[in-house]
Amino acid sequence: MSRTRTRWRLGLTATAFLVAAGPVPVPAHAEDVTDYAITVDPTAKGAKIDDTMYGVFFEDINRAADGGLYAELVQNRSFEYSTADNTSYTPLTSWTVDGTAQVVNDDGRLNERNRNYLSVGAGSSVTNAGYNTGIHVDEGKKYDFSVWARATGGTTLTVTLQDADGTLATARKVAVTRSGWAKYTATFTATRTSSDGRLAVASSAAAALDMVSLFPRDTYKHQSNGLRKDLAEKVAALHPGFLRFPGGCLVNTGSMEDYSEASDWQRKRSYQWKDTIGPVEERATNSNFWGYNQSYGLGYYEYFRFAEDVGAMPLPVVPALVTGCGQNKAVDDEALLERHIQDTLDLIEFANGPVTSTWGKKRAQMGHPRPFHLTHLGVGNEENLPVEYMARFKQFRAAIEAKYPDITVVSNSGPDDAGSTFDTAWQLNRDANVAMVDEHYYNSPQWFLQNNDRYDSYDRGGPKVFLGEYASWGNAFKNGLAEAAFMTGLERNADVVKLASYAPLYANEDYVQWSPDMVWFNNHASWNSANYEVQKLFMNNVGDRVVPSTATGTPSLLAPITGAVGLSTWATTAAYDDVKVTGADGTTLLSDDFSGDASRWNHTGGGSWSVQDGQYVQGDVAAENTMVSAGDPSWHDYDLHVKATKKSGKEGFLVAFGVKDTGNYYWWNLGGWNNTQSAVEQAVDGGKSTLVSKAGSIETGRAYDIDVKVRGRQVTLYLDGQEWGSFTDDKPAEPFRQVVTKDKKTGDLIVKVVNAQSSAARTAIDLGGAKVASRAKVTTLAAAPDAVNTETDTAVAPVSSVYAGVAAKFTYTFPANSITFLRIKQR
């Protein structure tokens, strides 16, 4: 039967084709033939699913804030850009000057925390280019201009909005009447639509300008200093249970000092909430970890308001004073630690305190006398030093619990789904009786298909899990399929996994530091990724409790690991020698001491490879992923020997095996992650997962003997003759996954099925005697595995239908490459 034929026809590798978004008709004579069976027990009680199960994670990455969710249309409005943010920046980045104008940092500034201002000569003008292609305006919409200015003797500012084709709105005259700083405003009404606008400010006399701003009047919920409407509405449509903010690597990187004269106005700081509240012209500026500037116009108050507006629980994350994201340093300053702990207590008061409290009063002054009902707070993010992190976490938790015992303080387990850091962190979390642990991982679609059962074996009496960041590597529908399959396992284990959020949330297509992302946008449009559609389907159909169910699996035949061998580097120069591949029977498959040329090696990556003094050398210290490979992709059961020497650079070297092509291989990454750890990673269709990892570094100039033994699906690795580690890659990538939940409000049984393979799955469904209506509401996501949503093409979108063949026992055919939700009413 087809059950035995589908194993090697997974949607991840199959030829793509579109399918109907509903049940596939089956001839009458085939009624007794099914590929799978789902059995539901409606009398049993599964895990309770909290309303906050699924949420979103916002980090200012990919220009998600300035130029993104934060609706400000002027880039570098306060002339604060600096080489500390990006080596290409100047205080006039995105501005052009006609006449004379210079950025000044002196005692005439607007305020102490707004260090720079612009001095404009008489008859001169400055023009701002906005983000992406320019400033976007829509015909008939209003745009509010404001500027802080001063001019001895007064001046007239002429403010224009135009593009290459001419005027976009009637020019405005603004009279600056004071010699001291004051805020001046005007309003434009766009006469036509353009995405290439420029805002120009001309001054008739010498003047000083700061905080040059242009805001659309039509922001989300019509708030001043507000949010870009279309981007906010995409989050609101998810009905998220929580909003995690502001990071991410922003939280636990850089200096932990404040922005003050005492710190010499430190720019590369961790995200500290007190920098981000109050009047926008008085908020600090900061260097964003991802290589640009953060204005903090979008700050903690706006995050809390956003969470409230979309009905989500706010979940802020504060620095733990242990840096991560490759920096890996524990700050040893007790006074600084105490200050950050007090800041965290003040944050809780800002969110929840009465208007009579110090920080509750500040919240009220900003326009929100009611509390924000903060219940959860994260301390730290992806720390790679678990011992040092836990010592500091305990101090934060003790102080918070002493004053606010109802707050759930969330810990974390580092940046990976497994490995020594993960294991150590989890043991420390268990020992400390932590309430909730934040896990993060980004892996291949195959990993997600293989790990549906990840949380089945977690200790029911231990810390709960917050899956704060996860995604498969890609925005194609095959990635959404794999994530959906994994999410059925999250729901089945809702007694352990209490919160989960895909990450990151936003990406501006012209400023991408990280991909994949859930929502993509530019200055005039936004669109949902396939992954977004998956998240939305799950978030809008969660249910209140799991209804226990079982399903038959897909028979699998696991072939041995096959593939050629490879050499690579990452931001390093290295030399390789004495490469030898020997079959299990002793046959020499490859032997190369590079005494001649390197003709047997295929250069598929970057970098500069050459034979030098009998070694194969990669000499470009900046190049990443410089793979060269040799041998036969059909090789299996072999021993690989390599001698490798790091010559210079930030990391070590990489030795690959099981190389099928540029996107499918295993490699042993020795001295990766800025030479802090080594790991075996598996690449599937370009997405990598970590199979085993250990802390350690590689010495420059030292020759290492590396041996890899491949037998079947078992791999053993040796470094200088000593066994370093081993793994068995034998978990099946199950393409058929399901979970059933019950919606208490409607009484619906929600049958959720993922069929991540290129053949339809005819399935016998037994509802265990439940009395049900004959018609079910059906929502289906079905598309080609490689389908990707773009600004102009929505290839992946939900289709609604009705299925009239529901009974206590019935048969349904789930389309190939599909996610199907059946909402079945109980009578």
Side-chain angles (χ1 to χ4, degrees):
M1 272 312 303
S2 60
R3 285 180 58 189
T4 62
R5 297 199 303 267
T6 55
R7 185 54 191 157
W8 297 108
R9 294 190 293 168
L10 292 182
L12 298 178
T13 56
T15 302
F17 61 97
L18 291 171
V19 297
V24 179
V26 176
H29 66 271
E31 286 297 317
D32 60 337
V33 179
T34 57
D35 303 312
Y36 296 92
I38 296 173
T39 304
V40 183
D41 184 358
T43 63
K45 271 194 172 182
K48 181 181 181 297
I49 307 175
D50 295 340
D51 293 339
T52 52
M53 174 72 179
Y54 294 122
V56 293
F57 164 49
F58 181 92
E59 178 176 10
D60 187 0
I61 186 173
N62 309 314
R63 288 272 190 198
D66 296 334
L69 182 63
Y70 186 50
E72 174 65 75
L73 296 173
V74 175
Q75 184 175 177
N76 191 18
R77 67 182 177 186
S78 194
F79 311 102
E80 296 290 340
Y81 276 27
S82 163
T83 53
D85 308 322
N86 188 296
T87 55
S88 69
Y89 281 1
T90 75
L92 281 171
T93 291
S94 85
W95 292 94
T96 55
V97 176
D98 184 8
T100 60
Q102 62 177 339
V103 176
V104 181
N105 180 343
D106 64 14
D107 290 342
R109 64 180 64 89
L110 180 59
N111 59 67
E112 278 296 287
R113 288 158 71 82
N114 196 329
R115 307 293 293 167
N116 292 347
Y117 65 94
L118 186 71
S119 175
V120 182
S124 299
S125 67
V126 290
T127 302
N128 190 265
Y131 297 92
N132 299 87
T133 56
I135 291 171
H136 175 78
V137 295
D138 287 307
E139 182 179 355
K141 293 289 184 70
K142 293 184 181 298
Y143 296 86
D144 293 322
F145 168 82
S146 65
V147 63
W148 284 79
R150 59 178 172 82
T152 302
T155 188
T156 298
L157 302 179
T158 301
V159 188
T160 58
L161 192 57
Q162 57 190 17
D163 63 11
D165 294 328
T167 301
L168 293 171
T170 302
R172 292 288 182 255
K173 301 285 188 180
V174 176
V176 176
T177 58
R178 300 181 185 178
S179 58
W181 288 105
K183 186 177 181 180
Y184 300 89
T185 63
T187 298
F188 290 97
T189 300
T191 55
R192 58 187 175 85
T193 296
S194 174
S195 295
D196 308 307
R198 300 290 187 269
L199 178 77
V201 181
S203 182
S204 62
L209 308 177
D210 206 347
M211 296 296 290
V212 182
S213 173
L214 186 69
F215 247 89
R217 179 78 58 85
D218 188 16
T219 57
Y220 183 63
K221 301 288 187 179
H222 299 285
Q223 295 176 12
S224 60
N225 195 47
L227 308 181
R228 180 171 148 175
K229 192 173 183 180
D230 62 324
L231 294 181
E233 285 177 342
K234 288 188 181 301
V235 173
L238 295 170
H239 299 108
F242 65 87
L243 171 66
R244 176 178 176 247
F245 62 89
C249 289
L250 304 185
V251 167
N252 69 333
T253 53
S255 167
M256 300 294 164
E257 301 289 345
D258 61 3
Y259 190 60
S260 67
E261 186 175 7
S263 72
D264 195 26
W265 307 104
Q266 174 62 248
R267 287 291 287 260
K268 294 190 174 185
R269 311 184 312 284
S270 63
Y271 196 111
Q272 300 173 45
W273 77 272
K274 288 180 180 178
D275 285 343
T276 76
I277 65 167
V280 290
E281 68 273 9
E282 296 177 8
R283 298 183 188 183
T285 188
N286 201 3
S287 171
N288 183 296
F289 174 82
W290 298 107
Y292 52 90
N293 178 269
Q294 274 179 293
S295 73
Y296 285 144
L298 177 59
Y300 256 70
Y301 176 76
E302 288 76 25
Y303 286 130
F304 277 122
R305 286 292 300 268
F306 186 34
E308 181 179 70
D309 285 342
V310 299
M313 174 183 81
L315 205 165
V317 183
V318 299
L321 274 70
V322 179
T323 57
C325 301
Q327 296 183 358
N328 303 335
K329 180 181 178 181
V331 178
D332 189 14
D333 184 329
E334 194 62 31
L336 190 57
L337 176 62
E338 288 299 321
R339 193 266 287 175
H340 275 266
I341 291 173
Q342 185 58 52
D343 282 354
T344 303
L345 297 175
D346 293 343
L347 170 61
I348 299 170
E349 183 175 286
F350 177 77
N352 294 349
V355 296
T356 53
S357 66
T358 300
W359 292 98
K361 182 179 180 180
K362 286 188 178 293
R363 182 193 68 240
Q365 289 170 342
M366 292 186 73
H368 201 282
R370 301 185 314 279
F372 284 118
H373 305 295
L374 177 66
T375 60
H376 290 65
L377 184 145
V379 175
N381 170 77
E382 294 187 9
E383 281 73 23
N384 254 321
L385 303 173
V387 174
E388 294 85 345
Y389 164 74
M390 185 53 65
R392 288 155 180 78
F393 172 84
K394 287 179 179 178
Q395 291 179 262
F396 275 88
R397 184 178 64 171
I400 294 167
E401 289 184 345
K403 191 169 184 180
Y404 301 106
D406 293 335
I407 297 291
T408 298
V409 187
V410 182
S411 176
N412 74 79
S413 59
D416 299 307
D417 62 273
S420 57
T421 297
F422 178 87
D423 293 339
T424 300
W426 255 105
Q427 188 58 53
L428 292 170
N429 279 305
R430 283 189 289 266
D431 292 344
N433 197 27
V434 167
M436 184 175 287
V437 177
D438 187 2
E439 292 190 354
H440 295 178
Y441 39 81
Y442 298 88
N443 289 318
S444 68
Q446 177 164 306
W447 185 93
F448 284 93
L449 290 176
Q450 289 175 321
N451 285 276
N452 175 275
D453 62 350
R454 175 179 176 86
Y455 297 105
D456 291 2
S457 59
Y458 270 49
D459 180 6
R460 267 47 202 169
K464 303 303 181 186
V465 173
F466 171 24
L467 182 48
E469 296 183 34
Y470 74 97
S472 69
W473 289 114
N475 277 143
F477 188 51
K478 63 187 177 187
N479 301 97
L481 282 168
E483 291 154 6
F486 188 74
M487 292 169 78
T488 65
L490 299 183
E491 291 192 6
R492 188 176 63 251
N493 289 286
D495 56 329
V496 169
V497 183
K498 306 305 288 184
L499 308 168
S501 50
Y502 180 100
L505 176 58
Y506 292 121
N508 186 324
E509 67 174 353
D510 291 337
Y511 307 93
V512 179
Q513 290 89 33
W514 184 278
S515 183
D517 305 283
M518 192 154 68
V519 175
W520 289 78
F521 66 93
N522 50 38
N523 68 350
H524 62 276
S526 58
W527 55 98
N528 305 332
S529 68
N531 318 68
Y532 173 96
E533 296 296 351
V534 170
Q535 294 293 320
K536 184 179 179 182
L537 184 58
F538 274 84
M539 287 194 202
N540 286 306
N541 295 277
V542 181
D544 303 284
R545 187 174 290 278
V546 175
V547 181
S549 61
T550 58
T552 52
T554 307
S556 71
L557 297 171
L558 288 173
I561 291 173
T562 60
V565 298
L567 311 171
S568 190
T569 60
W570 198 287
T572 317
T573 64
Y576 292 92
D577 202 358
D578 298 336
V579 179
K580 189 170 185 179
V581 181
T582 308
D585 60 358
T587 304
T588 298
L589 303 175
L590 173 70
S591 182
D592 200 338
D593 63 3
F594 303 105
S595 56
D597 58 26
S599 59
R600 283 179 282 186
W601 295 85
N602 180 30
H603 186 185
T604 57
S608 175
W609 288 88
S610 62
V611 175
Q612 301 177 21
D613 301 323
Q615 295 181 313
Y616 201 20
V617 178
Q618 197 293 112
D620 184 346
V621 74
E624 299 177 346
N625 198 5
T626 64
M627 177 86 81
V628 291
S629 61
D632 190 331
S634 67
W635 281 351
H636 62 89
D637 296 295
Y638 56 76
D639 296 320
L640 165 63
H641 173 79
V642 181
K643 190 177 287 292
T645 305
K646 172 184 174 179
K647 295 170 71 70
S648 66
K650 295 189 296 185
E651 305 213 345
F653 36 73
L654 303 106
V655 175
F657 53 96
V659 179
K660 290 183 171 60
D661 53 46
T662 56
N664 295 275
Y665 54 84
Y666 302 81
W667 68 17
W668 189 4
N669 186 350
L670 289 139
W673 297 270
N674 286 323
N675 206 15
T676 61
Q677 62 178 309
S678 298
V680 176
E681 297 177 280
Q682 180 185 17
V684 178
D685 292 339
K688 286 199 278 292
S689 310
T690 300
L691 302 182
V692 58
S693 69
K694 291 183 180 182
S697 59
I698 292 298
E699 298 174 25
T700 302
R702 174 183 165 187
Y704 290 84
D705 282 305
I706 298 164
D707 291 276
V708 180
K709 182 179 181 179
V710 181
R711 294 293 185 273
R713 301 201 68 82
Q714 168 84 29
V715 178
T716 309
L717 307 111
Y718 301 87
L719 186 62
D720 286 336
Q722 300 296 312
E723 184 174 329
W724 177 88
S726 65
F727 68 91
T728 303
D729 181 20
D730 62 356
K731 282 193 93 171
E734 173 60 65
F736 187 86
R737 296 293 188 184
Q738 60 81 38
V739 70
V740 181
T741 64
K742 182 178 180 179
D743 187 326
K744 183 171 62 176
K745 184 177 180 180
T746 63
D748 292 353
L749 289 176
I750 311 172
V751 179
K752 311 174 187 184
V753 177
V754 180
N755 182 29
Q757 57 191 332
S758 60
S759 58
R762 184 163 169 76
T763 306
I765 301 175
D766 183 347
L767 296 178
K771 294 181 178 179
V772 294
S774 62
R775 299 167 68 86
K777 293 181 180 178
V778 183
T779 306
T780 307
L781 286 171
D786 292 325
V788 175
N789 287 348
T790 67
E791 179 183 352
T792 57
D793 181 26
T794 306
V796 181
V799 174
S800 298
S801 60
V802 174
Y803 181 62
V806 179
K809 293 182 179 181
F810 67 102
T811 300
Y812 191 93
T813 299
F814 296 97
N817 303 309
S818 70
I819 304 161
T820 306
F821 279 30
L822 296 156
R823 292 194 71 113
I824 302 171
K825 284 214 172 293
Q826 295 192 87
R827 293 187 299 189

